[in-house]
Amino acid sequence: MEFPVVTVNPAQLETACLVVPVIEGELEGAAARLDDASEKLISQLIERGDFKAELGNTLLLPFAPGLGAQRLLLAGFGKAEKLDESRYKRGLDAAMAALLKLPVEDAAFAGVGLDIELRDAAWKARMIAESALRNAYRFTEMKSQPGEPASLTRLSVVSADKSQQAELEAGLRIGAAIGEGVNEARTLGNLPGNICTPTYLGERAEQLGSTSEGALKVTVLGEEELEKLGALSLLSVGRGSEEPSRLIVMEYRGAEDENEAPHVLVGKGITFDTGGISLKPGAGMDEMKYDMGGAASVFGTMRTVLALKPKLNVVAIVASAENMPDGRATKPGDIIKTLKGLTVEVLNTDAEGRLVLCDALTYAERFEPASVVDIATLTGACVIALGNHATGLISNDDDLALDLLDAGEEAWDRAWHMPLWDEYQAQLDSNFADIANIGGREAGMITAGCFLSRFADTFPWAHLDIAGTAWQSGKQKGASGRPVGLLTQYLLDREAELNAAQEETL
């Protein structure tokens, strides 16, 4: 989808459909200008009660007398004094959902003038592009007769201020790249486990590398290589499956100095999780195809990185396996040796994500990283604690944690910082090995983070638990693509930080 910026009176803009945000109370901005040009059409509709500008309300006017647009779509954004980032995004999503139902290829949005405290035009433009692409997404790969895709291919953003054009274009570029990355993550998450296997993810990475014009180096380690390496913890998870495990590495070297310490993203890629011998209940088990949501978000972020081309070095590592029960499967009570050399007593085979991540974190050491962030649908305890609104965050470095929290606020893909106190570590004590893979029911999300921290003691590290945010259940079941926005913003912030440091040395 294209997102050009046009600086024109919205009343004169010729387009198949013009979307205009309307605030409760007195009309202002683009809505006021369109009202004046259309003989007070919008005011009359509001006064007669045909349209209320409450948040999420929309009204399509198939004819727009006095305007250049063929159609006018009114979108309610609620009360001006209550308009914040969350309500702005909700208003955008309602407007885009209504727009994308229309048989139009070209449309325009006249809403960057809405006032949101501490948010500039670039941020609002970014959200517009993201929302358009997220709402245009359709997962039809598995349908015998796929439905028609959204017809919209061009959404112009209208501004009355020519001085804002570069700012808006920059915001739209970031928003479009993130939107595409989010949708990449959603597609990988929505694919069924019989299609999206560890082997498939490896092939997907190689495909991403082959189309990157040399910007992405891809390495896929198979089971023989992992055995020689000593990644026995990762391999233990897939022992009960016919699908071979994989460790997938994607390297992007965009910094001026290719030896600049990279920022590493590590994704949990359990392509289907039965729980293994510690078998999960049957109800809802189909959703365990989403247990590779961390890997999906890493793929989505790398696609966004390739689009934006930041001057930064980024390494992505995906630890992928399928957790199944059979005669060769790891059993409760088994003791396994990790790549780091620590031994783990497996008390529950359904706590398998940490067993693949620990070897991936150890593998990350070879890159001498500036930071490492792992992303995983790791614990049900996170869902109980934070629901499906905030991603859980645990870190051994407060500065890194704050950077991620700030990135989440900027991207409006937010996280919440949980403690990593020494007092919790004792819950992982084992009588028979160096560490147990679970620490009991209490503080389950935190003890999972404690486990991972044992393998991240040589670099700044953070863990993002996306068990509550990677997908939604129910009638609207599907992958969310989170936290691609947060991760992308984190990397863009590191690029800006690196650029500032380099300028200081000149």
Side-chain angles (χ1 to χ4, degrees):
M1 192 180 296
E2 298 177 10
F3 297 97
V5 176
V6 293
T7 52
V8 65
N9 183 340
Q12 298 173 350
L13 180 64
E14 295 183 359
T15 181
C17 184
L18 178 61
V19 183
V20 56
V22 183
I23 297 294
E24 290 185 57
E26 185 176 351
L27 295 177
E28 55 185 56
R33 298 176 74 178
L34 292 166
D35 193 47
D36 289 340
S38 62
E39 300 180 0
K40 303 295 181 181
L41 175 61
I42 300 174
S43 296
Q44 291 181 56
L45 290 168
I46 293 173
E47 290 170 4
R48 291 200 310 243
D50 292 319
F51 176 70
K52 293 183 179 180
E54 296 171 353
L55 181 65
N57 280 355
T58 61
L59 178 66
L60 175 66
L61 305 178
F63 301 100
L67 305 182
Q70 298 172 17
R71 303 169 182 83
L72 187 64
L73 179 61
L74 305 181
F77 275 71
K79 298 182 184 296
E81 63 271 19
K82 290 186 176 181
L83 188 59
D84 59 10
E85 296 95 337
S86 179
R87 295 173 72 85
Y88 181 68
K89 285 194 70 172
R90 286 161 58 192
L92 278 178
D93 285 344
M96 295 303 169
L99 173 63
L100 288 158
K101 293 177 182 177
L102 303 178
V104 299
E105 297 181 2
D106 174 79
F109 186 88
V112 292
L114 289 176
D115 185 29
I116 304 170
E117 188 175 2
L118 303 178
R119 297 301 187 183
D120 58 16
W123 186 88
K124 288 179 279 189
R126 168 177 167 172
M127 293 300 118
I128 291 168
E130 279 190 46
S131 179
L133 288 167
R134 280 190 293 102
N135 282 281
Y137 176 80
R138 306 285 187 273
F139 182 78
T140 59
E141 281 83 345
M142 297 292 107
K143 302 271 190 179
S144 60
Q145 296 182 332
E148 290 294 323
S151 58
L152 188 68
T153 58
R154 178 185 175 94
L155 180 64
S156 300
V157 175
V158 184
S159 173
D161 186 353
K162 288 186 177 181
S163 67
Q164 288 186 334
Q165 180 153 350
E167 185 181 2
L168 291 171
E169 288 175 345
L172 289 166
R173 177 172 173 265
I174 293 172
I178 291 175
E180 294 287 1
V182 165
N183 288 346
E184 170 77 5
R186 292 167 78 184
T187 292
L188 287 174
N190 287 332
L191 285 169
N194 62 320
I195 301 294
C196 186
T197 63
T199 300
Y200 178 90
L201 288 180
E203 293 170 350
R204 190 87 165 206
E206 290 171 339
Q207 182 182 29
L208 193 61
S210 67
T211 58
S212 70
E213 299 180 347
L216 194 68
K217 176 186 174 183
V218 177
T219 305
V220 180
L221 303 183
E223 290 195 334
E224 288 187 10
E225 294 159 297
L226 291 171
E227 189 91 37
K228 291 178 183 178
L229 185 65
L232 305 181
S233 184
L234 192 166
L235 287 172
S236 74
V237 174
R239 288 296 185 208
S241 173
E242 294 293 325
E243 295 291 342
S245 301
R246 295 285 186 266
L247 186 73
I248 303 159
V249 184
M250 296 174 273
E251 300 177 57
Y252 169 85
R253 302 284 175 176
E256 292 182 5
D257 180 1
E258 66 174 19
N259 295 317
E260 184 77 34
H263 296 274
V264 178
L265 306 178
V266 177
K268 171 188 170 184
I270 303 299
T271 55
F272 195 82
D273 181 20
T274 66
I277 298 298
S278 305
L279 194 66
K280 291 178 181 289
M285 193 191 286
D286 62 290
E287 294 186 2
M288 287 301 97
K289 69 178 184 177
Y290 295 120
D291 210 21
M292 45 70 68
S297 71
V298 168
F299 272 91
T301 302
M302 294 309 290
R303 175 167 176 168
T304 302
V305 165
L306 291 173
L308 295 177
K309 297 179 174 60
K311 294 181 178 180
L312 190 75
N313 292 337
V314 183
V315 174
I317 302 173
V318 169
S320 187
E322 186 180 70
N323 189 19
M324 299 287 284
D326 87 341
R328 298 176 64 244
T330 298
K331 307 173 294 297
D334 284 359
I335 294 177
I336 57 176
K337 188 176 181 180
T338 66
L339 180 57
K340 192 177 183 70
L342 295 177
T343 58
V344 178
E345 181 184 10
V346 179
L347 297 179
N348 189 318
T349 64
D350 194 22
E352 84 300 325
R354 63 202 73 183
L355 298 179
V356 302
L357 288 173
C358 68
D359 279 353
L361 289 171
T362 302
Y363 191 88
E365 288 184 17
R366 67 188 57 209
F367 295 104
E368 299 180 1
S371 71
V372 176
V373 180
D374 78 67
I375 311 97
T377 50
L378 206 64
T379 65
C382 182
V383 184
I384 299 301
L386 299 175
N388 59 6
H389 302 294
T391 289
L393 166 63
I394 289 176
S395 180
N396 64 6
D397 185 288
D398 285 343
D399 289 336
L400 173 56
L402 287 172
D403 287 340
L404 288 164
L405 290 172
D406 288 344
E409 290 290 332
E410 180 65 20
W412 210 246
D413 184 1
R414 294 176 293 174
W416 189 258
H417 194 183
M418 305 291 277
L420 184 66
W421 298 341
D422 286 343
E423 289 85 345
Y424 292 106
Q425 295 281 358
Q427 291 179 229
L428 296 172
D429 288 349
S430 166
N431 290 344
F432 307 108
D434 295 325
I435 185 175
N437 79 322
I438 58 171
R441 289 179 59 84
E442 296 83 5
M445 175 194 168
I446 296 170
T447 54
C450 288
F451 180 94
L452 295 175
S453 73
R454 306 282 185 101
F455 303 86
D457 54 353
T458 64
F459 44 72
W461 158 83
H463 161 63
L464 295 175
D465 193 331
I466 58 171
T469 55
W471 80 92
Q472 61 182 15
S473 302
K475 187 177 180 181
Q476 300 299 321
K477 182 167 64 176
S480 69
R482 294 180 65 184
V484 170
L486 183 159
L487 295 172
T488 301
Q489 186 61 50
Y490 171 73
L491 295 175
L492 293 177
D493 290 344
R494 303 290 72 74
E495 178 195 22
E497 197 175 71
L498 182 61
N499 290 341
Q502 291 172 342
E503 289 176 5
E504 286 181 5
T505 62
L506 296 178

